[in-house]
Amino acid sequence: MSAQQLTDRPDLDVLVIGGSGVDTVVRVGSLPVPPADSVGVPPIVEWPGQTGGNVALGCRALGLGVTFLDFIGDDRPGEQVRERLADGGVDFEHLVSPSGTRRAVNLVDATGRRMSFYDPRDSGDLRMPRDFYLPHLRRARHVHLSIMDFARFLYDDIAELGVTVSTDLHDWDGVDDYHREFALRSDVVFLSAAGAGGRIASVMREILREGRAEAVIATAGAGGSYLMTRDGGRTPRPVPATVPPTPVVDSNGAGDAYVCGFLYGRLGGRHIEDCARLGAVAGAYACTGVGSSALIGPAELAAAQV
């Protein structure tokens, strides 16, 4: 291999784009919360992360080289995001959003289930400049796009450079047009089985049939996950859930951790079913800490012997 070829090889494992913010976590006795004028709760905590931040932190904790690009506000929540990512060793480069840093209020019950009230903040005309993201994109082995509206405008450059891309559609119902471009232009697509309910298998098949995805993964919490691949038949293959190593505390960030475990396996050349099982292990581990504090490392993931 020539010196020029060595220089041109990607030196960044994962480029994460979009999806940072601060969660305010409120622990409640049960969901839904009974109607009342006032309810006493344990200490309310603020936890920087959200989906893109969690994926960046989780991939970095697994030893992958990570750069994270996003918009945040010139505000205290933005400072919290920067501090959390710096503590996690993530290379974070940001632009200032005039709308401020994204926020969410998450109600978490005694079993770790959550209900999230999300404030996206971003204006519809927000765009990430090409000269800001292209140098990083040219270095990346893989891109993970959060479903921020500005992120959809990066797909043409990603395709031109031939970089693989993943996305998480979260609770997409298979109908809402906002998610469709992300679903159909990504190589690996994650989504929650809860969004489409009994239609989840047909939604997974549609993504494979109409888009470019090689794999679609639907996560179902304690029910495990489901995997479909372009050459693997029309029926989703079940992937059993992993029993968490300690009691469940909080399911916030479990889906993001699943993504990290999966990408870790994929970038390591593992078989697609092994990637899904690694995702299940990482997702279970994430449920054992508050917010997104339980980040699995490569040693713990290796101990699962997937």
Side-chain angles (χ1 to χ4, degrees):
M1 183 176 291
S2 70
Q4 182 63 46
Q5 286 173 313
L6 284 170
T7 302
D8 291 343
R9 292 177 64 183
D11 60 351
L12 173 64
D13 293 316
V14 183
L15 176 63
V16 181
I17 298 177
S20 64
V22 175
D23 293 331
T24 298
V25 180
V26 183
R27 303 198 69 85
V28 298
S30 62
L31 291 172
V33 177
D37 181 66
S38 179
V39 177
V41 296
I44 295 172
V45 298
E46 289 190 324
W47 197 262
Q50 295 195 359
T51 183
N54 291 343
V55 170
L57 287 161
C59 285
R60 187 71 194 103
L62 285 168
L64 298 174
V66 179
T67 292
F68 182 26
L69 308 179
D70 200 7
F71 290 91
I72 57 173
D74 183 15
D75 48 27
R76 175 55 189 154
E79 291 179 14
Q80 291 175 283
V81 169
R82 293 196 302 272
E83 291 165 1
R84 172 76 173 117
L85 292 167
D87 288 346
V90 172
D91 173 27
F92 180 48
E93 298 193 24
H94 71 280
L95 299 168
V96 174
S97 169
S99 302
T101 303
R102 303 175 201 97
R103 303 295 303 272
V105 175
N106 297 334
L107 306 185
V108 181
D109 72 8
T111 68
R113 292 190 310 125
R114 72 159 188 170
M115 182 175 185
S116 182
F117 299 85
Y118 179 56
D119 172 6
R121 296 291 178 103
D122 296 338
S123 64
D125 60 355
L126 190 67
R127 300 288 184 273
M128 185 170 280
R130 293 181 80 237
D131 60 359
F132 177 72
Y133 67 77
L134 270 178
H136 302 287
L137 189 55
R138 292 189 177 109
R139 297 173 47 222
R141 296 175 61 198
H142 182 81
V143 178
H144 182 77
L145 285 185
S146 300
I147 54 171
M148 307 294 102
D149 192 52
F150 69 81
R152 71 175 73 249
F153 297 98
L154 277 66
Y155 272 113
D156 287 345
D157 285 318
I158 292 170
E160 183 176 344
L161 290 171
V163 184
T164 58
V165 56
S166 58
T167 193
D168 188 344
L169 307 177
H170 300 286
D171 59 352
W172 188 42
D173 59 5
V175 177
D176 188 348
D177 281 341
Y178 179 90
H179 301 72
R180 188 167 299 278
E181 183 172 11
F182 292 95
L184 301 186
R185 299 192 70 180
S186 298
D187 299 284
V188 180
V189 176
F190 301 90
L191 73 165
S192 167
R199 298 175 42 256
I200 189 61
S202 64
V203 171
M204 296 172 76
R205 284 193 289 269
E206 179 186 358
I207 292 171
L208 289 169
R209 182 179 66 251
E210 303 294 334
R212 60 171 291 152
E214 63 185 54
V216 180
I217 304 94
T219 56
S225 57
Y226 300 89
L227 171 67
M228 286 191 73
T229 55
R230 187 167 293 279
D231 57 355
R234 292 178 52 79
T235 303
R237 305 194 290 279
V239 179
T242 298
V243 177
T246 58
V248 172
V249 174
D250 186 349
S251 62
N252 280 298
D256 302 321
Y258 188 109
V259 170
C260 296
F262 189 100
L263 294 181
Y264 177 81
R266 190 175 189 275
L267 290 168
R270 301 288 291 270
H271 192 273
I272 197 78
E273 277 82 2
D274 285 347
C275 295
R277 286 190 280 268
L278 289 170
V281 172
Y285 191 94
C287 294
T288 63
V290 175
S292 56
S293 61
L295 301 175
I296 196 168
E300 293 92 345
L301 204 57
Q305 298 183 346
V306 171

